[in-house]
Structure formats: C-alpha cells, structure tokens
Amino acid sequence: MSIRDWLLQGLQPASGMHDEHPGKRHSWWQVMCLTGVDYFSTLGYQPGIAALAAGALSPIATMMLVVLTLFGALPTYRAVAAESPNGMGSIAMLERLLPSWWGKLLVLVLLGFVATAFIFTITLSASDATAHILENPFVPSFLDGGQVPITLLLVAALGAIFLRGFSEAIGLAVALVAVYLALNVVVVGRAVAEVLAQPALVDGWQNTLTTDYSSPVAMIALSAYALPKLALGLSGFETGVAVMPQIEGDLAQRIKGARRLLTVAALIMSVFLVFSSFATAILIPHKEFEEGGKASGRALAYLAHQYLGDWFGTAYDISTIAILWFAGASALTGLLNIVPRYLPRYGMAPDWARAVRPLVLVFTVLSFCITILFGANVESQGGAYATGVLALILSAAVAVTISKARTGSRRAAAAFAVVSLVLAYAFVANIIERPDGLSIAAFFVVAIIVTSLISRATRSTELRVTGITLDKAAQRLVASLPAGDMRLIANEPDARDSAEYREKDRETREYHHLPDDEPMLFLEVTLGDASEFTSEIHLKGETRHGYGVLTVESAAIPNTIAAILLHLRDTTGRRPHVYFHWAEGNPVGALLRYLLFGGGDVPPLTREVLRQAEPDLRTRPHVHVG
C-alpha cells in the first residue's frame, strides 16, 4: 500500500451526511472513557482554580457549577443527542435555523469556536501534563526548562496513536480513566476522612466564612461572580455528542448510549468535584494554591503526597500526567467527526479532508504551532480554552431552546432559555475578564472563513454532482432522439410560453446553421440553494408546446449542465452538443454571481468544467455559443 493510499484509507462519502463511522464501534461506556479523559482530567486542576477564584467560597462556587452541570448542561446535551445523533452536535441544529449562505456562515463561526476549544484542549492538557512532569521531585533536573519540547513530544505521541487507528485510542482511554478514577477515589476518600477526623478544621472554615462575608446572600452572590472562572469543569459535553458515531448499535441505541454516557460522566464528575473542592479548601493553605505553591495546578496531587506518602503520590502523579496528556484524544476525536461532515460538503476544504489521517496530521501541526506560540504555558491558554467551551455550550442551549419552542414545548423552552441566560452571563463575564480568549477565538473564526472561501473558489469548477437520475419521461425524450450526436438547447426559463421556445429554437438553428428538421431538446436548469457545494440531481422530462424539455434544479448551473452532458454521453454512447447564447455584462460580476449564486456567465464556465472533467477533446461534449 502506498503512502497516499494509507493516508486516504477510510475516505468518507462526499455528501458528509452519512451516519457511519469508518472505524470500529464500541460500547457506550468505552466511548465515555474517550470523552472522560478530557472531562475527568480537569480534576487535576479544577479544585485549584476554584480555590484561587473563590477562596473559602470555593465549595459553594463548585456546588453552583455542579447544579449548572446537572440541571443545565446535562439536559441540554441529552436533547442535542436526540436531535443531532450523527456526531454533528448543536451546530447541525443551528444550521437548519438559517437558510442558504447565512446558515453556512453561522456554521463557519461556530467551527471557529470548535477549533478554539478542541485545539486548545489538546495543547493545554499536554502543557499541564508537562508541568506535572517537571514538578515531580523524582524528575531529573536536566529537564528543567524543557516545557516546550516535552509538550511537543506528548502532542506528537497523541497524533501517532490516532494515525494507527481509533481502536488503540479507545483502548488506552479505558485503561487511563479506570486507573485515574480509582486513584481519585482513594485520594478524595482519604482527604474527606482527614476532614472528618479534625472537626476543628471545619469550624475554622466556617468561621472564615462568617467573618469575611456579611450574609449567606453575599456568599452566594460572590460565588456566582466566580462561577465563570470554573467553566473548564464543563469541558466534556460537546465531545460527548461529537463521538456519538463511535457508539455501537442502530440510531436509537446510539442515542440511548450517548445519553447514558453523558449522564454517568456528569454524575461521576459532580461527586468528585463536590468532595474534592470541600477537602482541598479545608486542608490546603490558600498560599499553596498560588503560583509557585506546592498545590498550584495540582491540588489533589498535593493531598496524595501529604496524606498517602510520596510513593503513592508519585503513582497518582503518573496517572494524572497520563490522563492529562491523553485528554486531547477526545478533542481530536471530536474534530475528526465534525470537520469531515461540514467543510468538504460545503466545498470549503480539499477533498482529502474527508479522510482521517490527513486531518490528524493537520491538527497535530496546528497544535505544534500553538504550543510554540504560547510557550506551553497553561495559564496563557486558559482564556481561549474557556471562551471556546462556553461558546459551544451556549450555542447548544440556544439551539435546544429554539427547537423546544418550535415543537410547542413551552415549559421546556422556558427552562432552556434560563439555562441559556446563565451560560450567556458566564460567557460574557469570561470575555470581560479575559478578552484575549475572544481575540484568539476570533482569529480561528476569521482563519476558517477566509480559508474556506478560498477553497470554495478554487474548487468551484469541479463537477459538484454526486449522482444523476432521469425520470421515465426524461428517459423517453432522450431515447426519442435519432442516432448520432444529440443536441440540447440550454434555456434560461422565463415565461415558458410557446413564443419563448419557438424563438429560442429559431435563433439556435439560425446562429449555428442547423437544419429545421434536426431534433433537439431543451435543457433548463433552475437554481436551488446555491450555498450547497454538491448535490444529487433528478432530471425530469416533459413536452411543452410541442418541444421536449429536460428540467432540473441544482446549486450551480454550469456544473450541472456539464455533469448532465457527461452522463448522457456515458449512458448512451453518443456525443452531446449544447447550444448557448453569449451572456452580456461585467465579467467580474458574472464570476462573483457564479461563486455566490451558482449562475454567472454560464457558457465558458460550462466548457471549463467539462475541460477539467474530460481532458480528451475527442470524447468531450461540445459547447457551442452564438
């Protein structure tokens, strides 16, 4: 097998609207582990983030995050799983809300936030894993200062696993999650036991609350103010629905499995968040959470070393490093499910983007660039990561709200509207506090839109037709033509009265010196949704005012005419001729009309599409212009 064949192995259908995944499918709990390496790995730094953001209020702020998780994000994504079960997430739901190019533009903007969230998941998690490596007391000192090369090595290893295949990725994810959760049960259980054994610590925490805050209302208000900083604890939901195609079973079973996946993961994470936040807030001095402190970015690891010894603590460090490194696997899986279903279908990516391995290489290189650009610094990447995560969850909540309202479920729509408002507050507050995150996300959005439009323009003269069918009337009209070359008159329909067809027939015969008894058919292509790149066309036949007419609707007139001519040639063995009149007007304007609206100067564009599709001039259908 050549390198090219290996890279393009498992090329997905051009339509992008399939529901099959090129790799092996797995049980829902196995796929949960793949998303869980991202979701559960936040335990490595979430308690410390909560402590820095809310201080002694971190258990209360964490409880608010858990409430938002169980009663906001979880119901939202359970609904998304049912309404968008093919791994396309809330983006597919929002795409259906806006017609034509507006829907495509919305998708491109959301894909920018997807790229922000998922790519930064890969780089931030690998960077955090590197930080844990360098902070371990048993690591040799010569690795100090090696943050960037070690992170690049971790990202490269992740890409290598995905180049081998999804089975290896999921198998490793199951092992990592099982070990990590088991160790966390021990660490959190031991920490909670320590808290219960020292009631004075709890009394001291309560005294701090009553001393520093005037009332329970003030505590709740300040905890709510700190909530957006804890948003990374919501990071696993979008990937949970993005990997749905990997769940085994038919469509109904995959929806059921995805809902189980989301629910079980959220419950597990919520339990760990509540107890770990409570234990770390009471047992760890606040100064240790600050930069340079022993618990900075590793609160549970600090407790593991403190109460279970350095050997167990080192084992916990290794497990945390491994799952943080592999957290990018769920993000990479989400990207590999989402990108081939949108950009190639829009004509906004090279055709090889429908294959897995080339995309893995692209995303790995992009992760390299971001790692180098940010110096593998965890803190500097946090703003972009949170912005991407909150934008995706907010878009999902809005999509579900609109969907419920359209189906008449008023109570559900009102409930999801409240969730949307809470998420909107968190999104805006995060942007205000860390505007750099929005700037980075905006860069991804603009980059995707620009590169997509360039790709669309360069690929516009492809055939862009995935299949052609003729109804019985069209088949009879084609069969009625005598032996020899077949001739078609390209007609832009207007009144469709007898005068229109009679005059067009007369002009064509006069301009091209065709005899009056030469049989010809009219070919009429009307525009459908010009924003679509490819389409399957259905050619219909009818007799109108004594003239045979073939009619079809498509996204691009020149490409459709070219595809029909080639199809007729291949199915009848005869060479088609098509006759046009020259269009008048500004050629630049005509080109823009073609790119945006599928029309423009049809004759030369039809010839160019034919030239690219059929290099042999001897068998190429003829284009005549008069």
Side-chain angles (χ1 to χ4, degrees):
M1 180 184 296
S2 67
I3 294 178
R4 183 182 184 277
D5 292 339
W6 179 76
L7 285 173
L8 297 180
Q9 189 176 24
L11 196 70
Q12 299 180 15
S15 65
M17 293 305 294
H18 61 303
D19 61 4
E20 297 297 322
H21 192 274
K24 177 185 176 182
R25 287 181 172 175
H26 307 269
S27 300
W28 67 266
W29 62 269
Q30 292 176 304
V31 180
M32 181 192 73
C33 291
L34 184 58
T35 63
V37 290
D38 172 23
Y39 194 25
F40 300 143
S41 69
T42 59
L43 286 171
Y45 48 81
Q46 185 72 15
I49 292 175
L52 288 175
L57 293 173
S58 60
I60 300 175
T62 300
M63 280 298 301
M64 288 185 172
L65 178 66
V66 168
V67 170
L68 181 59
T69 297
L70 298 180
F71 298 99
L74 177 59
T76 294
Y77 278 94
R78 283 176 61 89
V80 171
E83 297 196 34
S84 182
N86 297 324
M88 301 170 82
S90 58
I91 297 178
M93 297 173 64
L94 290 170
E95 181 189 21
R96 296 192 292 264
L97 298 178
L98 293 176
S100 191
W101 283 107
W102 291 111
K104 304 295 186 296
L105 182 60
L106 175 62
V107 168
L108 292 178
V109 171
L110 291 176
L111 286 178
F113 284 102
V114 168
T116 303
F118 287 7
I119 292 294
F120 274 88
T121 296
I122 297 171
T123 60
L124 185 146
S125 298
S127 299
D128 201 25
T130 301
H132 278 72
I133 293 173
L134 297 178
E135 289 169 6
N136 189 279
F138 296 108
V139 172
S141 59
F142 70 84
L143 291 177
D144 291 347
Q147 186 83 6
V148 171
I150 294 175
T151 302
L152 291 177
L153 183 62
L154 293 177
V155 172
L158 181 66
I161 287 176
F162 273 77
L163 287 174
R164 285 182 55 83
F166 283 88
S167 296
E168 289 82 355
I170 286 186
L172 184 55
V174 171
L176 290 175
V177 168
V179 172
Y180 184 68
L181 292 182
L183 292 174
N184 271 285
V185 168
V186 176
V187 173
V188 174
R190 178 66 181 86
V192 171
E194 187 68 25
V195 171
L196 295 178
Q198 300 186 52
L201 293 176
V202 179
D203 293 338
W205 173 65
Q206 291 176 332
N207 290 334
T208 299
L209 292 180
T210 55
T211 302
D212 293 348
Y213 305 100
S214 58
S215 67
V217 174
M219 297 178 193
I220 294 174
L222 291 172
S223 298
Y225 177 77
L227 180 62
K229 299 178 182 178
L230 279 62
L232 298 185
L234 299 170
S235 62
F237 284 98
E238 189 70 26
T239 51
V241 294
V243 298
M244 282 184 67
Q246 293 191 49
I247 300 176
E248 64 185 4
D250 57 23
L251 189 62
Q253 290 172 323
R254 292 209 304 274
I255 293 174
K256 185 177 180 180
R259 286 180 159 180
R260 285 180 177 176
L261 179 160
L262 294 167
T263 303
V264 172
L267 289 173
I268 291 173
M269 189 64 175
S270 296
V271 170
F272 276 116
L273 283 176
V274 169
F275 284 102
S276 64
S277 177
F278 180 69
T280 53
I282 292 177
L283 295 176
I284 302 177
H286 185 77
K287 64 178 182 179
E288 298 293 350
F289 290 112
E290 298 173 355
E291 187 174 355
K294 295 180 180 180
S296 176
R298 54 190 301 274
L300 291 180
Y302 175 91
L303 293 179
H305 282 273
Q306 183 78 11
Y307 295 106
L308 294 166
D310 284 339
W311 284 107
F312 185 91
T314 299
Y316 184 82
D317 282 339
I318 293 173
S319 177
T320 304
I321 290 166
I323 199 169
L324 278 169
W325 159 65
F326 204 63
S330 61
L332 189 52
T333 301
L335 286 169
L336 294 175
N337 275 298
I338 291 174
V339 170
R341 296 168 184 266
Y342 285 104
L343 294 185
R345 178 162 59 92
Y346 293 173
M348 293 179 174
D351 203 45
W352 51 257
R354 295 186 287 115
V356 169
R357 289 188 173 110
L359 287 177
V360 171
L361 293 175
V362 170
F363 296 142
T364 301
V365 170
L366 185 58
S367 298
F368 281 179
C369 295
I370 291 175
T371 298
I372 295 171
L373 180 64
F374 286 89
N377 184 278
V378 176
E379 179 64 23
S380 63
Q381 298 177 64
Y385 185 27
T387 300
V389 168
L390 286 170
L392 293 180
I393 298 179
L394 175 58
S395 69
V398 171
V400 173
T401 301
I402 296 173
S403 175
K404 295 300 181 183
R406 287 187 169 184
T407 57
S409 303
R410 295 184 178 180
R411 290 185 178 180
F416 283 112
V418 173
V419 173
S420 299
L421 290 174
V422 173
L423 291 169
Y425 153 72
F427 180 66
V428 173
N430 180 73
I431 289 174
I432 293 173
E433 177 142 355
R434 305 190 69 171
D436 59 314
L438 182 62
S439 301
I440 297 169
F443 168 78
F444 273 94
V445 170
V446 172
I448 285 179
I449 291 176
V450 171
T451 55
S452 296
L453 293 179
I454 292 174
S455 176
R456 173 85 178 221
T458 57
R459 295 186 59 196
S460 62
T461 52
E462 296 178 9
L463 276 181
R464 297 170 56 179
V465 173
T466 57
I468 299 177
T469 58
L470 281 70
D471 68 5
K472 292 183 178 180
Q475 294 174 19
R476 285 195 298 268
L477 286 175
V478 172
S480 68
L481 295 175
D485 292 351
M486 62 175 63
R487 305 185 188 277
L488 299 94
I489 301 173
N491 181 47
E492 183 178 357
D494 188 13
R496 287 180 169 171
D497 55 14
S498 60
E500 176 183 340
Y501 293 102
R502 185 171 59 252
E503 183 63 19
K504 194 64 174 287
D505 180 80
R506 183 193 65 76
E507 289 179 351
T508 301
R509 295 180 189 278
E510 179 180 329
Y511 294 158
H512 300 284
H513 309 289
L514 298 172
D516 292 340
D517 60 350
E518 179 76 25
M520 292 192 291
L521 298 176
F522 281 88
L523 176 59
E524 298 179 349
V525 182
T526 54
L527 278 173
D529 183 359
S531 67
E532 291 293 335
F533 186 72
T534 61
S535 60
E536 183 173 344
I537 62 175
H538 306 280
L539 199 60
K540 300 178 181 179
E542 59 182 287
T543 301
R544 191 179 298 146
H545 307 295
Y547 297 94
V549 182
L550 300 175
T551 63
V552 67
E553 181 181 287
S554 76
I557 294 175
N559 310 69
T560 300
I561 293 176
I564 291 172
L565 295 177
L566 291 170
H567 178 79
L568 293 176
R569 181 202 65 180
D570 295 339
T571 56
T572 66
R574 299 155 63 185
R575 175 184 273 185
H577 294 250
V578 64
Y579 297 89
F580 294 94
H581 286 175
W582 277 114
E584 295 182 358
N586 188 303
V588 176
L591 178 60
L592 291 176
R593 288 197 301 274
Y594 170 62
L595 293 175
L596 295 176
F597 306 114
D601 197 358
V602 175
L605 289 168
T606 301
R607 183 186 180 283
E608 178 60 21
V609 174
L610 284 170
R611 186 189 66 81
Q612 293 187 22
E614 177 52 83
D616 190 349
L617 185 61
R618 295 170 297 178
T619 59
R620 186 189 306 161
H622 274 256
V623 175
H624 304 266
V625 185

